Short mmCIF file of all heavy atoms in Angstrom, two decimals:
data_model
loop_
_atom_site.label_atom_id
_atom_site.label_comp_id
_atom_site.label_asym_id
_atom_site.label_seq_id
_atom_site.Cartn_x
_atom_site.Cartn_y
_atom_site.Cartn_z
N HIS I 271 92.62 47.92 84.03
CA HIS I 271 92.33 46.51 84.28
C HIS I 271 93.49 45.83 85.01
O HIS I 271 93.29 45.15 86.01
CB HIS I 271 92.02 45.82 82.96
CG HIS I 271 91.73 44.37 83.10
ND1 HIS I 271 92.21 43.43 82.22
CD2 HIS I 271 91.00 43.68 84.02
CE1 HIS I 271 91.79 42.24 82.60
NE2 HIS I 271 91.05 42.35 83.67
N GLU I 282 78.67 36.66 74.91
CA GLU I 282 78.81 35.75 73.77
C GLU I 282 79.29 36.45 72.50
O GLU I 282 79.87 35.82 71.63
CB GLU I 282 77.50 35.01 73.52
CG GLU I 282 77.30 33.87 74.52
CD GLU I 282 76.09 33.04 74.18
OE1 GLU I 282 75.02 33.62 73.98
OE2 GLU I 282 76.22 31.81 74.13
N LYS I 301 69.46 39.84 75.40
CA LYS I 301 69.85 39.57 74.02
C LYS I 301 68.97 40.31 73.04
O LYS I 301 69.24 40.30 71.84
CB LYS I 301 69.86 38.06 73.74
CG LYS I 301 68.54 37.38 73.85
CD LYS I 301 68.74 35.87 73.63
CE LYS I 301 67.45 35.12 73.88
NZ LYS I 301 67.66 33.65 73.93
N ASP I 327 90.69 34.19 92.02
CA ASP I 327 90.91 35.63 92.09
C ASP I 327 89.67 36.39 91.68
O ASP I 327 89.36 37.44 92.24
CB ASP I 327 92.04 36.05 91.15
CG ASP I 327 93.37 35.47 91.58
OD1 ASP I 327 93.53 35.20 92.78
OD2 ASP I 327 94.23 35.29 90.70
N PHE I 330 83.12 35.68 87.60
CA PHE I 330 82.21 36.34 86.66
C PHE I 330 80.95 35.52 86.56
O PHE I 330 81.00 34.32 86.29
CB PHE I 330 82.85 36.44 85.27
CG PHE I 330 84.16 37.17 85.29
CD1 PHE I 330 85.36 36.47 85.36
CD2 PHE I 330 84.20 38.55 85.26
CE1 PHE I 330 86.58 37.14 85.39
CE2 PHE I 330 85.41 39.23 85.28
CZ PHE I 330 86.59 38.53 85.35
N ASN I 332 77.60 35.68 84.53
CA ASN I 332 76.90 36.36 83.45
C ASN I 332 75.67 35.58 83.04
O ASN I 332 75.77 34.42 82.67
CB ASN I 332 77.83 36.54 82.25
CG ASN I 332 79.00 37.45 82.57
OD1 ASN I 332 78.94 38.26 83.49
ND2 ASN I 332 80.07 37.31 81.82
N GLU I 334 72.15 35.50 80.57
CA GLU I 334 71.68 36.00 79.29
C GLU I 334 70.22 35.65 79.12
O GLU I 334 69.80 34.58 79.56
CB GLU I 334 72.50 35.33 78.18
CG GLU I 334 72.58 36.13 76.92
CD GLU I 334 73.25 35.34 75.83
OE1 GLU I 334 74.48 35.21 75.85
OE2 GLU I 334 72.52 34.84 74.95
N GLU S 231 88.47 36.60 79.86
CA GLU S 231 88.93 37.98 79.73
C GLU S 231 89.69 38.25 78.44
O GLU S 231 89.71 39.36 77.96
CB GLU S 231 89.77 38.37 80.95
CG GLU S 231 88.90 38.65 82.17
CD GLU S 231 89.71 39.18 83.33
OE1 GLU S 231 90.71 38.53 83.67
OE2 GLU S 231 89.34 40.23 83.88
N LYS S 250 95.01 31.31 85.05
CA LYS S 250 95.68 32.37 84.30
C LYS S 250 97.17 32.07 84.11
O LYS S 250 97.84 32.78 83.38
CB LYS S 250 95.48 33.73 84.96
CG LYS S 250 96.05 33.89 86.33
CD LYS S 250 95.67 35.26 86.90
CE LYS S 250 96.12 35.38 88.35
NZ LYS S 250 95.56 36.59 88.99
N ASP S 276 67.96 32.71 80.10
CA ASP S 276 68.14 31.56 79.21
C ASP S 276 69.44 30.82 79.51
O ASP S 276 69.51 29.61 79.43
CB ASP S 276 68.22 32.01 77.75
CG ASP S 276 66.91 32.61 77.29
OD1 ASP S 276 65.87 32.26 77.87
OD2 ASP S 276 66.94 33.43 76.34
N PHE S 279 76.38 31.80 82.80
CA PHE S 279 77.80 31.52 82.68
C PHE S 279 78.47 31.90 83.99
O PHE S 279 78.32 33.02 84.47
CB PHE S 279 78.43 32.35 81.55
CG PHE S 279 77.78 32.10 80.23
CD1 PHE S 279 76.78 32.94 79.75
CD2 PHE S 279 78.14 31.01 79.45
CE1 PHE S 279 76.17 32.71 78.53
CE2 PHE S 279 77.54 30.77 78.23
CZ PHE S 279 76.55 31.62 77.77
N ASN S 281 82.13 31.98 85.44
CA ASN S 281 83.54 31.81 85.11
C ASN S 281 84.41 32.33 86.23
O ASN S 281 84.31 33.50 86.60
CB ASN S 281 83.86 32.55 83.82
CG ASN S 281 83.12 31.97 82.64
OD1 ASN S 281 82.73 30.79 82.65
ND2 ASN S 281 82.92 32.77 81.62
N GLU S 283 88.42 32.77 87.72
CA GLU S 283 89.78 32.92 87.22
C GLU S 283 90.74 32.90 88.39
O GLU S 283 90.42 33.42 89.47
CB GLU S 283 89.87 34.27 86.51
CG GLU S 283 90.93 34.32 85.46
CD GLU S 283 91.07 35.73 84.93
OE1 GLU S 283 90.22 36.15 84.14
OE2 GLU S 283 92.03 36.41 85.34
#
Side-chain angles (χ1 to χ4, degrees):
Chain I
H271 179 221
E282 282 187 309
K301 64 183 174 191
D327 295 334
F330 303 96
N332 295 338
E334 205 187 284
Chain S
E231 284 186 308
K250 63 184 174 190
D276 295 335
F279 302 97
N281 296 335
E283 206 187 284

